[in-house]
Amino acid sequence: MKHIPNAYAEGAPATPSPPPDIYDEVAYAYDGSLEGLLSAVFAAYERHERPTDVAPEERLQPRLGQRVALIPTDQDRALRVMSTLRRQCGRAAALAVTRAACSDEPDAGTAVYRFVRYAIDEQKHRACEHCRKRASCAGRGGMGPCPKQRGRAFSDITHPAVERLFRISRSVGQECEHMRQFVRFQHLAGEGADVWFARVNPKASVVPLIMDHFVERLGVQPFIIYDEVHHLAGVYDGGDWQLVNTEGAGDLERALPDRTADEALMSEAWRTFYKSVSIDARYHPELRRQFMPKRFWKNLTELQESPAALRTALR
């Protein structure tokens, strides 16, 4: 009988790691946050596994015969992964990962994991022998990231691991731009409360990505941006902002004060201005839907029927 060595015996050779294009039949499930996704990336390295899928627990669809591992969120591990990614691959790669974590695409988490794996492996395969700066380089001898290769992994969009992340990040970036353009606030006040409130319905959870923009625009004025699709609200109190999960908390608008006396007047003035600057001879509905997607129309003040027009129609 042929002797089979015990892999756990002392002195036995270590099991070789699988090639980069072979993945284990295991799926990682996380809580859907950026920190949870980065914790799953850290767990893959810690466990020496290459998961086939990395997805939020609520959206994961396990494959036949696939083992599912629930990865707990660890803030310290997530920070280590993000710091390593920013140091070795640049800020553009870190921003792309942050945007992809907010995407609703089912393979966004898998795309982030495969990109991080590819980017870090690319840093390991570098030749320092003929580099003119190898004597003074902080990354010489494999001690750190190579400054010449920093950001090179994310720029290689022809690679499958980069191309998918690039597309997801670009889609989320476009959605952020749509939010910066199409968010409409209403002035609410009552019982000592004075706040500006906006409802949005994005196709990605981009409220965390756009809060800083509106904080800079509105200054010390408190406001709330409510994402009715993902049940998430960004609340700014005039000094700092935070995210509030509104799912299961009832109707958010019932807890808000009523509209101010001037809100209806200002809304009607905005609708009048919008109609006055339009040119009927240049009306192009297809182009309008391209630059202003129809899914945003229900929350746009200028495209809502005015109370005066509704009363006239009822007569």
Side-chain angles (χ1 to χ4, degrees):
M1 178 181 295
K2 185 177 180 180
H3 176 68
I4 301 178
N6 185 2
Y8 297 95
E10 184 178 0
T15 304
S17 58
D21 57 343
I22 296 180
Y23 294 88
D24 301 332
E25 285 302 322
V26 59
Y28 282 2
Y30 61 97
D31 61 358
S33 64
L34 172 62
E35 292 79 7
L37 175 56
L38 297 180
S39 299
V41 174
F42 187 96
Y45 279 92
E46 183 183 42
R47 302 180 182 187
H48 303 285
E49 294 179 336
R50 292 180 177 267
T52 311
D53 300 297
V54 180
E57 183 179 5
E58 59 183 10
R59 297 204 301 261
L60 179 63
Q61 296 291 335
R63 309 186 189 191
L64 185 63
Q66 189 179 54
R67 176 172 57 88
V68 177
L70 181 61
I71 306 299
T73 301
D74 190 305
Q75 298 288 342
D76 294 335
R77 292 182 173 184
L79 183 60
R80 288 177 58 183
V81 174
M82 180 57 70
S83 300
T84 302
L85 183 66
R86 187 180 293 111
R87 183 178 64 255
Q88 296 192 3
C89 304
R91 294 184 178 272
L95 178 60
V97 168
T98 303
R99 287 178 174 177
C102 299
S103 175
D104 290 344
E105 294 292 334
D107 63 333
T110 306
V112 168
Y113 163 71
R114 294 188 177 182
F115 168 76
V116 173
R117 173 78 70 171
Y118 164 74
I120 293 180
D121 289 346
E122 279 296 300
Q123 277 286 350
K124 296 179 181 179
H125 300 90
R126 61 177 187 266
C128 301
E129 292 79 7
H130 303 287
C131 181
R132 293 179 298 178
K133 298 183 179 181
R134 63 182 182 274
S136 59
C137 179
R140 62 186 182 277
M143 293 186 295
C146 176
K148 296 177 65 176
Q149 291 191 353
R150 186 182 185 187
R152 181 177 298 181
F154 186 65
S155 62
D156 185 14
I157 61 175
T158 59
H159 194 280
V162 184
E163 185 265 345
R164 183 55 183 158
L165 179 71
F166 178 81
R167 290 183 180 274
I168 295 176
S169 173
R170 183 174 61 179
S171 176
V172 175
Q174 292 174 348
E175 195 68 11
C176 290
E177 184 61 28
H178 283 151
M179 290 295 100
R180 287 189 282 266
Q181 296 177 18
F182 302 134
V183 170
R184 301 291 184 265
F185 288 95
Q186 296 178 348
H187 192 195
L188 311 180
E191 299 181 359
D194 189 343
V195 65
W196 292 82
F197 177 74
R199 297 172 65 98
V200 295
N201 54 337
K203 63 180 181 180
S205 184
V206 297
V207 170
L209 302 178
I210 64 175
M211 285 296 294
D212 288 335
H213 169 79
F214 288 101
V215 167
E216 183 178 355
R217 291 291 302 274
L218 297 180
V220 296
Q221 177 62 52
F223 66 87
I224 299 174
I225 300 179
Y226 172 50
D227 183 353
E228 59 186 359
V229 177
H230 302 88
H231 304 287
L232 186 69
V235 181
Y236 176 63
D237 59 3
D240 197 6
W241 64 269
Q242 60 182 343
L243 297 175
V244 178
N245 185 4
T246 61
E247 188 173 7
D251 192 358
L252 177 64
E253 295 190 53
R254 295 179 182 176
L256 296 174
D258 297 329
R259 299 182 182 182
T260 60
D262 296 335
E263 177 58 34
L265 177 62
M266 297 304 297
S267 298
E268 185 65 27
W270 175 248
R271 282 188 287 265
T272 302
F273 170 77
Y274 179 79
K275 293 178 181 179
S276 64
V277 298
S278 63
I279 303 176
D280 295 338
R282 295 185 178 180
Y283 180 63
H284 196 317
E286 291 79 10
L287 189 63
R288 181 191 194 184
R289 288 192 295 267
Q290 178 181 349
F291 289 100
M292 184 186 290
K294 199 169 183 178
R295 55 192 172 90
F296 297 127
W297 289 11
K298 67 176 182 178
N299 292 323
L300 294 179
T301 305
E302 59 270 28
L303 296 181
Q304 296 174 358
E305 290 291 340
S306 63
L310 291 176
R311 286 193 298 267
T312 303
L314 291 176
R315 291 177 185 174

